[in-house]
Amino acid sequence: MKLEEIRQFLHGGDYNPDQWLDHPEVLEDDIRLMKQAGVNVVTLGVFSWTSIEPQEGVYTFEWLDKIMDEMYENGIYVILSTPSGARPPWLAKKYPEVMRTSENRVRMLYGGRENHCESSEIWREKVRLIDEKLAERYAHHPALIMWHLSNEMYGRCYCEKCAENFRKWLKKKYGTIEELNKQYWSSFWSHKYMDFREIEPPAQHGEMYQHALVVDYYRFSSDLKINFLEMEKEAVKKYHPDLPVTTNMFHVNCGINYDHLAKILDVVSWDSYPRWHCQKEKSTEWENAVGAGFTFDYARAFKGKPFYLMESVPSVPSQFEVCKLKRPKMHMLSAMQTIACGSDSVQYFQWRKSNGSVEKFHGAVIDHNGSGNTRVFRDVCEVGAKLKEISCLKGTEVKAEVALIYDFDNIQALYEQRGITRNKRFFESRPQLHYDALLKNYVNVDVISSEADFSKYKVIAAPMLYLFKPDTARKIREFVKNGGDFVMTYYSGLVNENDLCFSGTLRNPVFAPYSLNDVFGIKVNETDAICDDEYNEFEYKGKNYKALTCCELVEVDGAEILAEYKHDFYKGLCAVSKKQYGQGFAYYIACNTESDFLSELYGDVLKNRNVSKIVDTEYVKDVMVRERNGYIFVMNFSTEERRIVVKGETILLNGYDYIVINKMVSSHPIFSRSFF
Ligand code: GLA
Ligand code: ZN
């Protein structure tokens, strides 16, 4: 069956039956329970290397043959994984160079997972071999619908081979050492290189100060991993070029440029583990939902197509400081959010809880007790049934007129630079703050990189777009000129793609945001930082708002001033501005603000650009509204009851309740609602 031809949402998850091969009755239970739960897909083999090649060159596929056949006979599709997420001990023992070298230049001992050296030729050879063996045997198996390459790639290797590849990568990028020195501003502290051979990857006990070098190493490591996955893709496609490949992305900041990775994949998949019900760092359920939504809107926007939720936890994750159970109704609510944001599946890690090792207490559909009579199992069954009910949405698109820029290179460079604050969390959390404000205006949002096509959006928000790639300024100018509204903030357009500051001369001075002063009608003169317990203020439409952490001192040259600072020596200077340029408007927010101001401003921006809201109502606290293909999902992320007006009708939602409404049907608008 072709993936896109499957009419139902996929429902299932990671299944590791090789842990129970000596318990056939457990495997029989699994199939019975899967059918009961409406499971129609399993991901097999994610960490099965030791079960399929227990010794070098000795293959034991029989158990997998049997499971694959049984899945097929029971109408359950299989996503088959290549096993390169973890290796068997024999492999590391015989070929120690496959192990990753940490930043301190110490090679890791055998253990763990996802700690390989992607430069190691023998590692590549071994992975290619096992991938080809799998593909040769199963590529045409009727249960198989997709390949799952490796598992959640992250981290970096710092071995001599990687260093060598890095030097080659640099040579290709810069051509000459002189050009590299120019971009790295390397005469500072006498860090000028005479030869590419002198360059070392960054290290805490070595070079961390040449920021361009550090960011380049992150980029190189991302490219290396993508190249490794391309090798795996080639290996599995050898026997069936049309079978799609995916890999499970999982953290917006895991060291891989996902925008680039998505280009080599047929299908994008995401693993999502929000910290539901944990009030740590004051994160509320709404904030958890916003965090999850951000990643879904990112995953979907890579290809502008549905993505797959490859992993989520049906009950309690075990990797957090506090491992809280999912409260009643949250499982359904979070599944609905995923579907609303464009997922074509709800899948779990994992089907059955392992009896031993590190994740023995990580939630699963079936607990150690083996019973189907549990709250978690009933929750999963309920989601299975609901997914069947709403299957008309499978494969449909989520359309957004609004985009928010979240760019890999920009974020990496922001983390390294030293300005405003050393609190990395500040930089990490800004994009989400703006995303939150947009969601509160009840519009769909795409989260895109600065390399994406801007032309299909009406409004683009770009919080702290510090790094401009060669065509970033041109793209923004064109976008606004042609009628788009662009919202830019403080700390934007300061450096080029190599983290080198844009600079000017007496005759030709250069001010941020680089080469866009005429578009925004402002020039940034200075940047002030404010301590945590201090704030400035400004007034917008008669209301007072706080300016926190960072305030830029901006000279207005053609823009309309929307708000002015109220205190300090820059009292009276512009805090927020707006300027028409061509057919569109360019907004500039010169200071960091709280979500209340942002949602107010974005409300005005969206209205000004005639962006249609999903529901024409003010934000109701904790109620999220999304639209997928004409169906409106209204989701209450509060434990308390909420009322919201949708299409003229007041809807009452109990705590963690949701409702899905067909926009087109006016006589009987309620398509489906939760049963609680
Ligand atoms: C990740 C991994 C899984 C498992 C889960 C636990 O998503 O891919 O193997 O470790 O985390 O949450
Ligand atoms: Zn290495």
Side-chain angles (χ1 to χ4, degrees), residues 78-95:
V78 170
I79 298 171
L80 191 55
S81 181
T82 65
S84 59
R87 75 197 79 67
W90 62 255
L91 207 154
K93 192 87 187 152
K94 182 155 178 199
Y95 309 105

Side-chain angles (χ1 to χ4, degrees), residues 596-622:
D596 56 351
F597 167 70
L598 293 175
S599 32
E600 191 67 40
L601 181 76
Y602 281 121
D604 293 340
V605 173
L606 297 170
K607 203 187 262 164
N608 183 49
R609 189 42 55 202
N610 289 326
V611 174
S612 34
K613 290 171 79 163
I614 304 167
V615 289
D616 197 13
T617 181
E618 292 282 296
Y619 168 63
V620 175
K621 194 170 178 312
D622 304 315

